[in-house]
Amino acid sequence: MELIEPAGQRRHAIRAAFPATIPVMTGYVCLGIAYGFLMSNAGYGPLWVAAVSMIVYSGSIQFVGIGLLTAPFAPVQAGLIAVMVGARHMFYALSFLDKYRDMGRVRPLLICMLTDETFSILSALTPPPSVSERDFCFWVSLLDYSYWTIGGVLGAALGEVLTFNTTGMDFALTALFVVLFLEQWKKKENRLPGLIGLGCTLVCLAVFGADNLVIPAMILVTAVLLGGRKWLCG
Amino acid sequence: MAVRLNAVQTVLTIAALAAGTQLTRWLPFWVFRKDPPAVVTYLSHVLPAASMGLLVIYCLRSVAWTAAPHGAPELLAIAAVAALHWWKGNVLLSIAGGTALYMLLVQVVFA
């Protein structure tokens, strides 16, 4: 990697960033292992897992992606699902418009590495005075990124040596979304939008069936949210 | 789970996933140099919760509610995830506990 600052400054920045990322390390390594394991079961080895984790770098989208890699070829739908599953990134990006305005050469990397967990650390913590905000953001982002990739490769490697009945393990994805839904539910103003998401998608499931669910549901949810803006804003 | 894409299809699918993902990260930075319009800010506040609701249903889209066991493993495991999450509030524990219960239900109890 290119040096972005003198070595002493870099050590300072890593020393400030690392402790902040420890909770993320446990989470990313564990979920990464689960992901790598499932990918291995779908027939994709550690190299594939490393590649996907490094260029997609989004747990929820990668878990959904396993299903898409083991279904008939549909790249457009894959892209749309990624946009929908990743919609919350837009919220993070909007919140960081100012923060990430003057980040110089690392700005594109910071944007590429903006995940739920990195966002939550960086929006909650500020670096000590001896470390620049840019370096702190960069090292938190890069450490998180490496945990996720390492976890995935470990899981994929484990998947090649361990065999047990993994039927039902893909429920981890459902569980993840249920948890994220509940996290949103904690805030009162999120409850109605959450219920609109559930309800509109159920309607689309009944009308369009399981195979053509995503696009109509996205449209209906957005339309209802826009139509109900007056009530939801209050 | 029987289908396996060939290498080119796999690469294209991964590229589509990556493009979609990165689009969600970049779009606001490209579009809004200054303050975004109110409707965009509004959507960015309500869409995350709504899309989680959408995704929960998306994950359950293939459950056969009319045939035995009528979605019982899914509903029980979701209840377990919710209970664990309210009790401990630990994301990993909730996911691991719910998934373990689900695997037990589909492999042993309702097998």
Side-chain angles (χ1 to χ4, degrees):
Chain A
M1 186 197 321
E2 217 177 280
L3 289 182
I4 58 153
E5 65 260 327
Q9 233 174 302
R10 183 167 20 137
R11 205 172 316 126
H12 259 308
I14 297 174
R15 215 173 274 165
F18 175 67
T21 65
I22 291 174
V24 178
M25 176 166 62
T26 55
Y28 273 18
V29 171
C30 291
L31 269 184
I33 288 176
Y35 172 71
F37 202 84
L38 285 172
M39 278 290 277
S40 163
N41 270 280
Y44 295 94
L47 279 178
W48 279 112
V49 172
V52 178
S53 293
M54 290 174 80
I55 68 163
V56 179
Y57 187 39
S58 168
S60 48
I61 292 169
Q62 287 175 232
F63 273 104
V64 176
I66 303 174
L68 297 168
L69 288 170
T70 49
F73 183 52
V76 175
Q77 174 160 336
L80 282 171
I81 289 182
V83 169
M84 183 195 61
V85 180
R88 63 190 190 285
H89 293 134
M90 294 189 208
F91 167 75
Y92 305 150
L94 282 171
S95 313
F96 274 10
L97 280 179
D98 270 332
K99 190 184 177 82
Y100 277 5
R101 190 156 281 157
D102 303 307
M103 287 292 181
R105 267 189 300 173
V106 296
R107 184 171 181 267
L109 292 175
L110 290 176
I111 295 173
C112 283
M113 296 191 288
L114 191 54
T115 61
D116 309 61
E117 286 74 9
T118 302
F119 171 80
S120 61
I121 295 179
L122 293 179
S123 53
L125 301 178
T126 43
S130 59
V131 175
S132 77
E133 170 137 52
R134 189 194 67 170
D135 293 349
F136 184 72
C137 290
F138 177 73
W139 285 107
V140 167
S141 301
L142 189 69
L143 285 167
D144 288 352
Y145 182 71
S146 60
Y147 303 148
W148 175 246
T149 306
I150 290 167
V153 172
L154 276 178
L158 275 178
E160 299 205 333
V161 289
L162 282 180
T163 47
F164 62 89
N165 187 351
T166 54
T167 309
M169 206 176 173
D170 51 354
F171 187 80
L173 180 65
T174 313
L176 172 69
F177 290 133
V178 170
V179 166
L180 292 175
F181 183 85
L182 293 173
E183 286 292 317
Q184 297 282 350
W185 191 265
K186 283 182 184 166
K187 281 195 186 164
K188 274 214 173 84
E189 67 266 28
N190 283 334
R191 292 186 183 170
L192 201 50
L195 291 175
I196 288 172
L198 285 176
C200 292
T201 314
L202 274 174
V203 169
C204 288
L205 180 60
V207 175
F208 298 98
D211 295 331
N212 299 302
L213 176 61
V214 176
I215 296 164
M218 277 172 83
I219 295 171
L220 185 64
V221 167
T222 311
V224 171
L225 288 173
L226 287 175
R229 190 172 164 198
K230 239 186 266 169
W231 293 277
L232 288 160
C233 260
Chain B
M1 292 289 276
V3 194
R4 173 83 152 85
L5 302 183
N6 68 36
V8 175
Q9 292 173 330
T10 302
V11 169
L12 287 175
T13 303
I14 294 168
L17 289 172
T21 310
Q22 292 304 342
L23 182 71
T24 61
R25 291 185 175 133
W26 281 92
L27 197 62
F29 289 103
W30 285 333
V31 177
F32 306 114
R33 305 279 164 185
K34 288 179 190 150
D35 288 334
V39 66
V40 174
T41 313
Y42 163 71
L43 279 180
S44 81
H45 281 110
V46 290
L47 266 181
S51 41
M52 289 315 131
L54 189 158
L55 290 166
V56 169
I57 304 298
Y58 172 78
C59 287
L60 299 172
R61 70 193 182 284
S62 303
V63 175
W65 301 102
T66 50
H70 304 286
E74 285 78 11
L75 292 177
L76 287 171
I78 287 175
V81 172
L84 273 173
H85 203 65
W86 259 303
W87 181 37
K88 289 288 182 184
N90 179 323
V91 173
L92 269 186
L93 179 73
S94 312
I95 294 175
T99 306
L101 175 67
Y102 184 77
M103 291 172 75
L104 184 77
L105 290 173
V106 293
Q107 289 183 21
V108 182
V109 181
F110 294 102

